[in-house]
PDB file of all heavy atoms in Angstrom:
ATOM      1  N   GLY A 162      25.794  -9.612   1.648  1.00  0.00           N
ATOM      2  CA  GLY A 162      25.421 -10.342   0.424  1.00  0.00           C
ATOM      3  C   GLY A 162      25.281  -9.439  -0.767  1.00  0.00           C
ATOM      4  O   GLY A 162      25.539  -9.863  -1.910  1.00  0.00           O
ATOM      5  N   PHE A 163      24.869  -8.185  -0.555  1.00  0.00           N
ATOM      6  CA  PHE A 163      24.701  -7.231  -1.667  1.00  0.00           C
ATOM      7  C   PHE A 163      26.087  -6.937  -2.307  1.00  0.00           C
ATOM      8  O   PHE A 163      26.205  -6.911  -3.540  1.00  0.00           O
ATOM      9  CB  PHE A 163      24.058  -5.950  -1.155  1.00  0.00           C
ATOM     10  CG  PHE A 163      23.643  -5.001  -2.245  1.00  0.00           C
ATOM     11  CD1 PHE A 163      22.573  -5.298  -3.070  1.00  0.00           C
ATOM     12  CD2 PHE A 163      24.292  -3.775  -2.414  1.00  0.00           C
ATOM     13  CE1 PHE A 163      22.198  -4.412  -4.064  1.00  0.00           C
ATOM     14  CE2 PHE A 163      23.909  -2.876  -3.402  1.00  0.00           C
ATOM     15  CZ  PHE A 163      22.853  -3.220  -4.210  1.00  0.00           C
ATOM     16  N   VAL A 164      27.082  -6.702  -1.493  1.00  0.00           N
ATOM     17  CA  VAL A 164      28.430  -6.454  -2.041  1.00  0.00           C
ATOM     18  C   VAL A 164      29.004  -7.736  -2.626  1.00  0.00           C
ATOM     19  O   VAL A 164      29.717  -7.695  -3.638  1.00  0.00           O
ATOM     20  CB  VAL A 164      29.348  -5.886  -0.921  1.00  0.00           C
ATOM     21  CG1 VAL A 164      30.746  -5.621  -1.471  1.00  0.00           C
ATOM     22  CG2 VAL A 164      28.749  -4.593  -0.361  1.00  0.00           C
ATOM     23  N   HIS A 165      28.700  -8.868  -2.026  1.00  0.00           N
ATOM     24  CA  HIS A 165      29.075 -10.171  -2.604  1.00  0.00           C
ATOM     25  C   HIS A 165      28.500 -10.288  -4.007  1.00  0.00           C
ATOM     26  O   HIS A 165      29.187 -10.702  -4.951  1.00  0.00           O
ATOM     27  CB  HIS A 165      28.501 -11.270  -1.694  1.00  0.00           C
ATOM     28  CG  HIS A 165      28.504 -12.632  -2.299  1.00  0.00           C
ATOM     29  ND1 HIS A 165      29.645 -13.407  -2.471  1.00  0.00           N
ATOM     30  CD2 HIS A 165      27.471 -13.410  -2.757  1.00  0.00           C
ATOM     31  CE1 HIS A 165      29.317 -14.582  -3.020  1.00  0.00           C
ATOM     32  NE2 HIS A 165      28.001 -14.597  -3.205  1.00  0.00           N
ATOM     33  N   MET A 166      27.246  -9.892  -4.190  1.00  0.00           N
ATOM     34  CA  MET A 166      26.625  -9.947  -5.507  1.00  0.00           C
ATOM     35  C   MET A 166      27.262  -8.974  -6.485  1.00  0.00           C
ATOM     36  O   MET A 166      27.553  -9.340  -7.622  1.00  0.00           O
ATOM     37  CB  MET A 166      25.126  -9.606  -5.374  1.00  0.00           C
ATOM     38  CG  MET A 166      24.364  -9.551  -6.696  1.00  0.00           C
ATOM     39  SD  MET A 166      22.738  -8.809  -6.527  1.00  0.00           S
ATOM     40  CE  MET A 166      23.172  -7.095  -6.133  1.00  0.00           C
ATOM     41  N   LEU A 167      27.528  -7.737  -6.054  1.00  0.00           N
ATOM     42  CA  LEU A 167      28.153  -6.756  -6.928  1.00  0.00           C
ATOM     43  C   LEU A 167      29.540  -7.234  -7.390  1.00  0.00           C
ATOM     44  O   LEU A 167      29.923  -7.049  -8.562  1.00  0.00           O
ATOM     45  CB  LEU A 167      28.257  -5.410  -6.232  1.00  0.00           C
ATOM     46  CG  LEU A 167      26.950  -4.699  -5.911  1.00  0.00           C
ATOM     47  CD1 LEU A 167      27.232  -3.381  -5.166  1.00  0.00           C
ATOM     48  CD2 LEU A 167      26.143  -4.429  -7.177  1.00  0.00           C
ATOM     49  N   SER A 168      30.300  -7.827  -6.476  1.00  0.00           N
ATOM     50  CA  SER A 168      31.596  -8.352  -6.835  1.00  0.00           C
ATOM     51  C   SER A 168      31.497  -9.435  -7.868  1.00  0.00           C
ATOM     52  O   SER A 168      32.253  -9.468  -8.849  1.00  0.00           O
ATOM     53  CB  SER A 168      32.305  -8.904  -5.576  1.00  0.00           C
ATOM     54  OG  SER A 168      32.453  -7.893  -4.596  1.00  0.00           O
ATOM     55  N   ASN A 169      30.531 -10.330  -7.688  1.00  0.00           N
ATOM     56  CA  ASN A 169      30.374 -11.447  -8.657  1.00  0.00           C
ATOM     57  C   ASN A 169      29.893 -10.975 -10.000  1.00  0.00           C
ATOM     58  O   ASN A 169      30.254 -11.514 -11.038  1.00  0.00           O
ATOM     59  CB  ASN A 169      29.415 -12.477  -8.059  1.00  0.00           C
ATOM     60  CG  ASN A 169      30.047 -13.241  -6.893  1.00  0.00           C
ATOM     61  OD1 ASN A 169      31.281 -13.323  -6.787  1.00  0.00           O
ATOM     62  ND2 ASN A 169      29.228 -13.796  -6.010  1.00  0.00           N
ATOM     63  N   VAL A 170      29.014  -9.954 -10.002  1.00  0.00           N
ATOM     64  CA  VAL A 170      28.555  -9.393 -11.278  1.00  0.00           C
ATOM     65  C   VAL A 170      29.712  -8.773 -12.012  1.00  0.00           C
ATOM     66  O   VAL A 170      29.871  -8.941 -13.247  1.00  0.00           O
ATOM     67  CB  VAL A 170      27.422  -8.377 -11.053  1.00  0.00           C
ATOM     68  CG1 VAL A 170      27.140  -7.592 -12.327  1.00  0.00           C
ATOM     69  CG2 VAL A 170      26.159  -9.073 -10.579  1.00  0.00           C
ATOM     70  N   THR A 171      30.572  -8.062 -11.308  1.00  0.00           N
ATOM     71  CA  THR A 171      31.779  -7.461 -11.922  1.00  0.00           C
ATOM     72  C   THR A 171      32.699  -8.548 -12.459  1.00  0.00           C
ATOM     73  O   THR A 171      33.214  -8.440 -13.610  1.00  0.00           O
ATOM     74  CB  THR A 171      32.518  -6.580 -10.907  1.00  0.00           C
ATOM     75  OG1 THR A 171      31.637  -5.582 -10.387  1.00  0.00           O
ATOM     76  CG2 THR A 171      33.717  -5.909 -11.559  1.00  0.00           C
ATOM     77  N   ALA A 172      32.916  -9.578 -11.659  1.00  0.00           N
ATOM     78  CA  ALA A 172      33.755 -10.699 -12.110  1.00  0.00           C
ATOM     79  C   ALA A 172      33.171 -11.370 -13.350  1.00  0.00           C
ATOM     80  O   ALA A 172      33.866 -11.707 -14.283  1.00  0.00           O
ATOM     81  CB  ALA A 172      33.916 -11.718 -10.984  1.00  0.00           C
ATOM     82  N   LEU A 173      31.854 -11.502 -13.382  1.00  0.00           N
ATOM     83  CA  LEU A 173      31.170 -12.108 -14.524  1.00  0.00           C
ATOM     84  C   LEU A 173      31.418 -11.271 -15.785  1.00  0.00           C
ATOM     85  O   LEU A 173      31.588 -11.809 -16.896  1.00  0.00           O
ATOM     86  CB  LEU A 173      29.684 -12.240 -14.235  1.00  0.00           C
ATOM     87  CG  LEU A 173      28.859 -13.070 -15.215  1.00  0.00           C
ATOM     88  CD1 LEU A 173      29.322 -14.518 -15.213  1.00  0.00           C
ATOM     89  CD2 LEU A 173      27.377 -12.979 -14.841  1.00  0.00           C
ATOM     90  N   GLY A 174      31.439  -9.952 -15.627  1.00  0.00           N
ATOM     91  CA  GLY A 174      31.710  -9.068 -16.752  1.00  0.00           C
ATOM     92  C   GLY A 174      33.118  -9.303 -17.307  1.00  0.00           C
ATOM     93  O   GLY A 174      33.326  -9.370 -18.524  1.00  0.00           O
ATOM     94  N   PHE A 175      34.106  -9.463 -16.405  1.00  0.00           N
ATOM     95  CA  PHE A 175      35.491  -9.738 -16.830  1.00  0.00           C
ATOM     96  C   PHE A 175      35.565 -11.076 -17.569  1.00  0.00           C
ATOM     97  O   PHE A 175      36.229 -11.196 -18.602  1.00  0.00           O
ATOM     98  CB  PHE A 175      36.408  -9.726 -15.622  1.00  0.00           C
ATOM     99  CG  PHE A 175      36.821  -8.345 -15.185  1.00  0.00           C
ATOM    100  CD1 PHE A 175      36.589  -7.923 -13.860  1.00  0.00           C
ATOM    101  CD2 PHE A 175      37.450  -7.475 -16.037  1.00  0.00           C
ATOM    102  CE1 PHE A 175      36.954  -6.656 -13.435  1.00  0.00           C
ATOM    103  CE2 PHE A 175      37.828  -6.202 -15.612  1.00  0.00           C
ATOM    104  CZ  PHE A 175      37.554  -5.786 -14.331  1.00  0.00           C
ATOM    105  N   PHE A 176      34.914 -12.103 -16.996  1.00  0.00           N
ATOM    106  CA  PHE A 176      34.978 -13.422 -17.649  1.00  0.00           C
ATOM    107  C   PHE A 176      34.287 -13.418 -19.008  1.00  0.00           C
ATOM    108  O   PHE A 176      34.753 -14.068 -19.945  1.00  0.00           O
ATOM    109  CB  PHE A 176      34.342 -14.485 -16.750  1.00  0.00           C
ATOM    110  CG  PHE A 176      35.128 -14.762 -15.486  1.00  0.00           C
ATOM    111  CD1 PHE A 176      34.505 -14.714 -14.238  1.00  0.00           C
ATOM    112  CD2 PHE A 176      36.474 -15.054 -15.548  1.00  0.00           C
ATOM    113  CE1 PHE A 176      35.213 -14.973 -13.082  1.00  0.00           C
ATOM    114  CE2 PHE A 176      37.210 -15.308 -14.398  1.00  0.00           C
ATOM    115  CZ  PHE A 176      36.574 -15.248 -13.162  1.00  0.00           C
ATOM    116  N   SER A 177      33.177 -12.695 -19.125  1.00  0.00           N
ATOM    117  CA  SER A 177      32.485 -12.581 -20.440  1.00  0.00           C
ATOM    118  C   SER A 177      33.392 -11.882 -21.420  1.00  0.00           C
ATOM    119  O   SER A 177      33.494 -12.303 -22.599  1.00  0.00           O
ATOM    120  CB  SER A 177      31.183 -11.823 -20.264  1.00  0.00           C
ATOM    121  OG  SER A 177      30.292 -12.480 -19.368  1.00  0.00           O
ATOM    122  N   ALA A 178      34.026 -10.795 -21.000  1.00  0.00           N
ATOM    123  CA  ALA A 178      34.946 -10.086 -21.883  1.00  0.00           C
ATOM    124  C   ALA A 178      36.137 -10.950 -22.260  1.00  0.00           C
ATOM    125  O   ALA A 178      36.645 -10.879 -23.406  1.00  0.00           O
ATOM    126  CB  ALA A 178      35.422  -8.804 -21.206  1.00  0.00           C
ATOM    127  N   SER A 179      36.594 -11.791 -21.320  1.00  0.00           N
ATOM    128  CA  SER A 179      37.712 -12.693 -21.613  1.00  0.00           C
ATOM    129  C   SER A 179      37.328 -13.692 -22.703  1.00  0.00           C
ATOM    130  O   SER A 179      38.119 -13.923 -23.633  1.00  0.00           O
ATOM    131  CB  SER A 179      38.101 -13.431 -20.343  1.00  0.00           C
ATOM    132  OG  SER A 179      39.063 -14.440 -20.609  1.00  0.00           O
ATOM    133  N   LEU A 180      36.135 -14.261 -22.600  1.00  0.00           N
ATOM    134  CA  LEU A 180      35.709 -15.218 -23.621  1.00  0.00           C
ATOM    135  C   LEU A 180      35.580 -14.524 -24.981  1.00  0.00           C
ATOM    136  O   LEU A 180      36.015 -15.084 -26.025  1.00  0.00           O
ATOM    137  CB  LEU A 180      34.393 -15.852 -23.235  1.00  0.00           C
ATOM    138  CG  LEU A 180      33.802 -16.886 -24.199  1.00  0.00           C
ATOM    139  CD1 LEU A 180      34.796 -18.052 -24.368  1.00  0.00           C
ATOM    140  CD2 LEU A 180      32.455 -17.382 -23.723  1.00  0.00           C
ATOM    141  N   LEU A 181      35.038 -13.342 -24.999  1.00  0.00           N
ATOM    142  CA  LEU A 181      34.874 -12.620 -26.240  1.00  0.00           C
ATOM    143  C   LEU A 181      36.229 -12.293 -26.875  1.00  0.00           C
ATOM    144  O   LEU A 181      36.414 -12.445 -28.091  1.00  0.00           O
ATOM    145  CB  LEU A 181      34.094 -11.325 -25.984  1.00  0.00           C
ATOM    146  CG  LEU A 181      33.751 -10.463 -27.214  1.00  0.00           C
ATOM    147  CD1 LEU A 181      32.867 -11.251 -28.176  1.00  0.00           C
ATOM    148  CD2 LEU A 181      33.040  -9.179 -26.775  1.00  0.00           C
ATOM    149  N   ALA A 182      37.188 -11.875 -26.033  1.00  0.00           N
ATOM    150  CA  ALA A 182      38.524 -11.599 -26.568  1.00  0.00           C
ATOM    151  C   ALA A 182      39.189 -12.851 -27.147  1.00  0.00           C
ATOM    152  O   ALA A 182      39.836 -12.809 -28.199  1.00  0.00           O
ATOM    153  CB  ALA A 182      39.408 -11.001 -25.448  1.00  0.00           C
ATOM    154  N   ARG A 183      39.018 -13.966 -26.490  1.00  0.00           N
ATOM    155  CA  ARG A 183      39.591 -15.232 -26.964  1.00  0.00           C
ATOM    156  C   ARG A 183      38.941 -15.638 -28.308  1.00  0.00           C
ATOM    157  O   ARG A 183      39.661 -16.125 -29.206  1.00  0.00           O
ATOM    158  CB  ARG A 183      39.403 -16.337 -25.925  1.00  0.00           C
ATOM    159  CG  ARG A 183      40.209 -16.122 -24.632  1.00  0.00           C
ATOM    160  CD  ARG A 183      39.685 -17.055 -23.548  1.00  0.00           C
ATOM    161  NE  ARG A 183      40.200 -16.716 -22.221  1.00  0.00           N
ATOM    162  CZ  ARG A 183      41.213 -17.295 -21.633  1.00  0.00           C
ATOM    163  NH1 ARG A 183      41.863 -18.281 -22.250  1.00  0.00           N
ATOM    164  NH2 ARG A 183      41.617 -16.923 -20.426  1.00  0.00           N
ATOM    165  N   LEU A 184      37.653 -15.495 -28.422  1.00  0.00           N
ATOM    166  CA  LEU A 184      36.957 -15.846 -29.650  1.00  0.00           C
ATOM    167  C   LEU A 184      37.401 -14.954 -30.803  1.00  0.00           C
ATOM    168  O   LEU A 184      37.336 -15.371 -31.973  1.00  0.00           O
ATOM    169  CB  LEU A 184      35.437 -15.749 -29.459  1.00  0.00           C
ATOM    170  CG  LEU A 184      34.840 -16.798 -28.495  1.00  0.00           C
ATOM    171  CD1 LEU A 184      33.352 -16.525 -28.296  1.00  0.00           C
ATOM    172  CD2 LEU A 184      35.055 -18.199 -29.021  1.00  0.00           C
ATOM    173  N   ARG A 185      37.843 -13.761 -30.503  1.00  0.00           N
ATOM    174  CA  ARG A 185      38.340 -12.840 -31.526  1.00  0.00           C
ATOM    175  C   ARG A 185      39.826 -13.052 -31.818  1.00  0.00           C
ATOM    176  O   ARG A 185      40.400 -12.307 -32.608  1.00  0.00           O
ATOM    177  CB  ARG A 185      38.106 -11.398 -31.105  1.00  0.00           C
ATOM    178  CG  ARG A 185      36.594 -11.019 -31.111  1.00  0.00           C
ATOM    179  CD  ARG A 185      36.417  -9.602 -30.606  1.00  0.00           C
ATOM    180  NE  ARG A 185      35.005  -9.179 -30.771  1.00  0.00           N
ATOM    181  CZ  ARG A 185      34.522  -8.028 -30.301  1.00  0.00           C
ATOM    182  NH1 ARG A 185      35.313  -7.184 -29.665  1.00  0.00           N
ATOM    183  NH2 ARG A 185      33.271  -7.726 -30.509  1.00  0.00           N
ATOM    184  N   GLY A 186      40.420 -14.022 -31.137  1.00  0.00           N
ATOM    185  CA  GLY A 186      41.817 -14.332 -31.396  1.00  0.00           C
ATOM    186  C   GLY A 186      42.810 -13.623 -30.515  1.00  0.00           C
ATOM    187  O   GLY A 186      44.021 -13.790 -30.678  1.00  0.00           O
ATOM    188  N   ASN A 187      42.353 -12.814 -29.563  1.00  0.00           N
ATOM    189  CA  ASN A 187      43.268 -12.073 -28.689  1.00  0.00           C
ATOM    190  C   ASN A 187      43.436 -12.837 -27.384  1.00  0.00           C
ATOM    191  O   ASN A 187      42.799 -12.549 -26.353  1.00  0.00           O
ATOM    192  CB  ASN A 187      42.690 -10.664 -28.427  1.00  0.00           C
ATOM    193  CG  ASN A 187      43.733  -9.739 -27.840  1.00  0.00           C
ATOM    194  OD1 ASN A 187      44.768 -10.190 -27.283  1.00  0.00           O
ATOM    195  ND2 ASN A 187      43.510  -8.447 -27.933  1.00  0.00           N
ATOM    196  N   GLU A 188      44.277 -13.884 -27.425  1.00  0.00           N
ATOM    197  CA  GLU A 188      44.474 -14.757 -26.262  1.00  0.00           C
ATOM    198  C   GLU A 188      45.109 -14.019 -25.094  1.00  0.00           C
ATOM    199  O   GLU A 188      44.739 -14.270 -23.946  1.00  0.00           O
ATOM    200  CB  GLU A 188      45.329 -15.952 -26.653  1.00  0.00           C
ATOM    201  CG  GLU A 188      44.656 -16.939 -27.610  1.00  0.00           C
ATOM    202  CD  GLU A 188      43.507 -17.676 -26.960  1.00  0.00           C
ATOM    203  OE1 GLU A 188      43.554 -17.859 -25.731  1.00  0.00           O
ATOM    204  OE2 GLU A 188      42.586 -18.093 -27.674  1.00  0.00           O
ATOM    205  N   ARG A 189      46.027 -13.149 -25.383  1.00  0.00           N
ATOM    206  CA  ARG A 189      46.715 -12.449 -24.270  1.00  0.00           C
ATOM    207  C   ARG A 189      45.750 -11.602 -23.485  1.00  0.00           C
ATOM    208  O   ARG A 189      45.737 -11.625 -22.236  1.00  0.00           O
ATOM    209  CB  ARG A 189      47.856 -11.574 -24.829  1.00  0.00           C
ATOM    210  CG  ARG A 189      48.700 -10.928 -23.749  1.00  0.00           C
ATOM    211  CD  ARG A 189      49.901 -10.218 -24.346  1.00  0.00           C
ATOM    212  NE  ARG A 189      50.743  -9.675 -23.314  1.00  0.00           N
ATOM    213  CZ  ARG A 189      50.538  -8.486 -22.713  1.00  0.00           C
ATOM    214  NH1 ARG A 189      49.480  -7.734 -23.069  1.00  0.00           N
ATOM    215  NH2 ARG A 189      51.356  -8.063 -21.754  1.00  0.00           N
ATOM    216  N   ALA A 190      44.902 -10.835 -24.158  1.00  0.00           N
ATOM    217  CA  ALA A 190      43.893 -10.030 -23.454  1.00  0.00           C
ATOM    218  C   ALA A 190      42.917 -10.908 -22.699  1.00  0.00           C
ATOM    219  O   ALA A 190      42.508 -10.586 -21.574  1.00  0.00           O
ATOM    220  CB  ALA A 190      43.153  -9.113 -24.449  1.00  0.00           C
ATOM    221  N   GLY A 191      42.576 -12.043 -23.321  1.00  0.00           N
ATOM    222  CA  GLY A 191      41.643 -12.958 -22.641  1.00  0.00           C
ATOM    223  C   GLY A 191      42.216 -13.491 -21.351  1.00  0.00           C
ATOM    224  O   GLY A 191      41.492 -13.584 -20.327  1.00  0.00           O
ATOM    225  N   LYS A 192      43.502 -13.839 -21.347  1.00  0.00           N
ATOM    226  CA  LYS A 192      44.135 -14.317 -20.141  1.00  0.00           C
ATOM    227  C   LYS A 192      44.168 -13.238 -19.063  1.00  0.00           C
ATOM    228  O   LYS A 192      43.905 -13.521 -17.875  1.00  0.00           O
ATOM    229  CB  LYS A 192      45.532 -14.795 -20.463  1.00  0.00           C
ATOM    230  CG  LYS A 192      45.578 -16.049 -21.314  1.00  0.00           C
ATOM    231  CD  LYS A 192      47.009 -16.440 -21.643  1.00  0.00           C
ATOM    232  CE  LYS A 192      47.048 -17.691 -22.543  1.00  0.00           C
ATOM    233  NZ  LYS A 192      48.451 -18.107 -22.888  1.00  0.00           N
ATOM    234  N   MET A 193      44.488 -12.002 -19.424  1.00  0.00           N
ATOM    235  CA  MET A 193      44.534 -10.934 -18.445  1.00  0.00           C
ATOM    236  C   MET A 193      43.156 -10.638 -17.860  1.00  0.00           C
ATOM    237  O   MET A 193      43.022 -10.381 -16.659  1.00  0.00           O
ATOM    238  CB  MET A 193      45.100  -9.653 -19.110  1.00  0.00           C
ATOM    239  CG  MET A 193      46.536  -9.810 -19.617  1.00  0.00           C
ATOM    240  SD  MET A 193      47.686 -10.232 -18.278  1.00  0.00           S
ATOM    241  CE  MET A 193      47.601  -8.745 -17.280  1.00  0.00           C
ATOM    242  N   LEU A 194      42.132 -10.718 -18.697  1.00  0.00           N
ATOM    243  CA  LEU A 194      40.762 -10.480 -18.200  1.00  0.00           C
ATOM    244  C   LEU A 194      40.324 -11.609 -17.258  1.00  0.00           C
ATOM    245  O   LEU A 194      39.572 -11.359 -16.313  1.00  0.00           O
ATOM    246  CB  LEU A 194      39.812 -10.348 -19.379  1.00  0.00           C
ATOM    247  CG  LEU A 194      39.901  -9.056 -20.157  1.00  0.00           C
ATOM    248  CD1 LEU A 194      39.181  -9.147 -21.503  1.00  0.00           C
ATOM    249  CD2 LEU A 194      39.327  -7.878 -19.335  1.00  0.00           C
ATOM    250  N   THR A 195      40.780 -12.814 -17.499  1.00  0.00           N
ATOM    251  CA  THR A 195      40.460 -13.922 -16.610  1.00  0.00           C
ATOM    252  C   THR A 195      41.103 -13.688 -15.227  1.00  0.00           C
ATOM    253  O   THR A 195      40.456 -13.923 -14.185  1.00  0.00           O
ATOM    254  CB  THR A 195      40.954 -15.257 -17.175  1.00  0.00           C
ATOM    255  OG1 THR A 195      40.200 -15.547 -18.362  1.00  0.00           O
ATOM    256  CG2 THR A 195      40.770 -16.389 -16.179  1.00  0.00           C
ATOM    257  N   ILE A 196      42.345 -13.210 -15.216  1.00  0.00           N
ATOM    258  CA  ILE A 196      43.004 -12.914 -13.954  1.00  0.00           C
ATOM    259  C   ILE A 196      42.254 -11.824 -13.197  1.00  0.00           C
ATOM    260  O   ILE A 196      42.053 -11.889 -11.986  1.00  0.00           O
ATOM    261  CB  ILE A 196      44.469 -12.517 -14.204  1.00  0.00           C
ATOM    262  CG1 ILE A 196      45.249 -13.733 -14.722  1.00  0.00           C
ATOM    263  CG2 ILE A 196      45.116 -12.001 -12.914  1.00  0.00           C
ATOM    264  CD1 ILE A 196      46.671 -13.400 -15.136  1.00  0.00           C
ATOM    265  N   ALA A 197      41.826 -10.793 -13.947  1.00  0.00           N
ATOM    266  CA  ALA A 197      41.045  -9.705 -13.326  1.00  0.00           C
ATOM    267  C   ALA A 197      39.737 -10.238 -12.729  1.00  0.00           C
ATOM    268  O   ALA A 197      39.324  -9.884 -11.628  1.00  0.00           O
ATOM    269  CB  ALA A 197      40.752  -8.624 -14.353  1.00  0.00           C
ATOM    270  N   GLY A 198      39.079 -11.132 -13.472  1.00  0.00           N
ATOM    271  CA  GLY A 198      37.833 -11.714 -12.997  1.00  0.00           C
ATOM    272  C   GLY A 198      38.039 -12.512 -11.717  1.00  0.00           C
ATOM    273  O   GLY A 198      37.253 -12.449 -10.801  1.00  0.00           O
ATOM    274  N   LEU A 199      39.102 -13.320 -11.688  1.00  0.00           N
ATOM    275  CA  LEU A 199      39.398 -14.092 -10.468  1.00  0.00           C
ATOM    276  C   LEU A 199      39.745 -13.209  -9.278  1.00  0.00           C
ATOM    277  O   LEU A 199      39.422 -13.521  -8.135  1.00  0.00           O
ATOM    278  CB  LEU A 199      40.541 -15.078 -10.759  1.00  0.00           C
ATOM    279  CG  LEU A 199      40.184 -16.311 -11.585  1.00  0.00           C
ATOM    280  CD1 LEU A 199      41.426 -17.107 -11.902  1.00  0.00           C
ATOM    281  CD2 LEU A 199      39.156 -17.173 -10.850  1.00  0.00           C
ATOM    282  N   SER A 200      40.423 -12.106  -9.553  1.00  0.00           N
ATOM    283  CA  SER A 200      40.786 -11.173  -8.463  1.00  0.00           C
ATOM    284  C   SER A 200      39.525 -10.587  -7.826  1.00  0.00           C
ATOM    285  O   SER A 200      39.389 -10.569  -6.596  1.00  0.00           O
ATOM    286  CB  SER A 200      41.695 -10.066  -9.012  1.00  0.00           C
ATOM    287  OG  SER A 200      42.881 -10.575  -9.545  1.00  0.00           O
ATOM    288  N   VAL A 201      38.595 -10.102  -8.640  1.00  0.00           N
ATOM    289  CA  VAL A 201      37.365  -9.553  -8.114  1.00  0.00           C
ATOM    290  C   VAL A 201      36.469 -10.644  -7.551  1.00  0.00           C
ATOM    291  O   VAL A 201      35.844 -10.499  -6.498  1.00  0.00           O
ATOM    292  CB  VAL A 201      36.608  -8.769  -9.211  1.00  0.00           C
ATOM    293  CG1 VAL A 201      35.318  -8.197  -8.685  1.00  0.00           C
ATOM    294  CG2 VAL A 201      37.477  -7.645  -9.766  1.00  0.00           C
ATOM    295  N   GLY A 202      36.444 -11.803  -8.261  1.00  0.00           N
ATOM    296  CA  GLY A 202      35.673 -12.935  -7.739  1.00  0.00           C
ATOM    297  C   GLY A 202      36.170 -13.446  -6.414  1.00  0.00           C
ATOM    298  O   GLY A 202      35.399 -13.996  -5.630  1.00  0.00           O
ATOM    299  N   GLY A 203      37.478 -13.289  -6.173  1.00  0.00           N
ATOM    300  CA  GLY A 203      38.010 -13.693  -4.871  1.00  0.00           C
ATOM    301  C   GLY A 203      37.400 -12.916  -3.727  1.00  0.00           C
ATOM    302  O   GLY A 203      37.137 -13.482  -2.649  1.00  0.00           O
ATOM    303  N   LEU A 204      37.189 -11.614  -3.932  1.00  0.00           N
ATOM    304  CA  LEU A 204      36.505 -10.795  -2.930  1.00  0.00           C
ATOM    305  C   LEU A 204      35.081 -11.301  -2.714  1.00  0.00           C
ATOM    306  O   LEU A 204      34.632 -11.455  -1.583  1.00  0.00           O
ATOM    307  CB  LEU A 204      36.490  -9.336  -3.338  1.00  0.00           C
ATOM    308  CG  LEU A 204      35.644  -8.411  -2.467  1.00  0.00           C
ATOM    309  CD1 LEU A 204      36.151  -8.365  -1.042  1.00  0.00           C
ATOM    310  CD2 LEU A 204      35.584  -6.993  -3.071  1.00  0.00           C
ATOM    311  N   GLY A 205      34.386 -11.592  -3.829  1.00  0.00           N
ATOM    312  CA  GLY A 205      33.025 -12.115  -3.686  1.00  0.00           C
ATOM    313  C   GLY A 205      33.008 -13.433  -2.980  1.00  0.00           C
ATOM    314  O   GLY A 205      32.122 -13.691  -2.157  1.00  0.00           O
ATOM    315  N   ALA A 206      34.001 -14.301  -3.267  1.00  0.00           N
ATOM    316  CA  ALA A 206      34.054 -15.582  -2.589  1.00  0.00           C
ATOM    317  C   ALA A 206      34.312 -15.444  -1.106  1.00  0.00           C
ATOM    318  O   ALA A 206      33.744 -16.158  -0.276  1.00  0.00           O
ATOM    319  CB  ALA A 206      35.141 -16.466  -3.237  1.00  0.00           C
TER     320      ALA A 206
END
């Protein structure tokens, strides 16, 4: 569960960065960060 938590915290960081990038108008970076978040979140899941 500890590694599950660390994976999800990392994924949360990617998703937060993705939202921030999108709000700044950088849609391409936002999409890539979402994919990174799902990849790490997949391990947590």
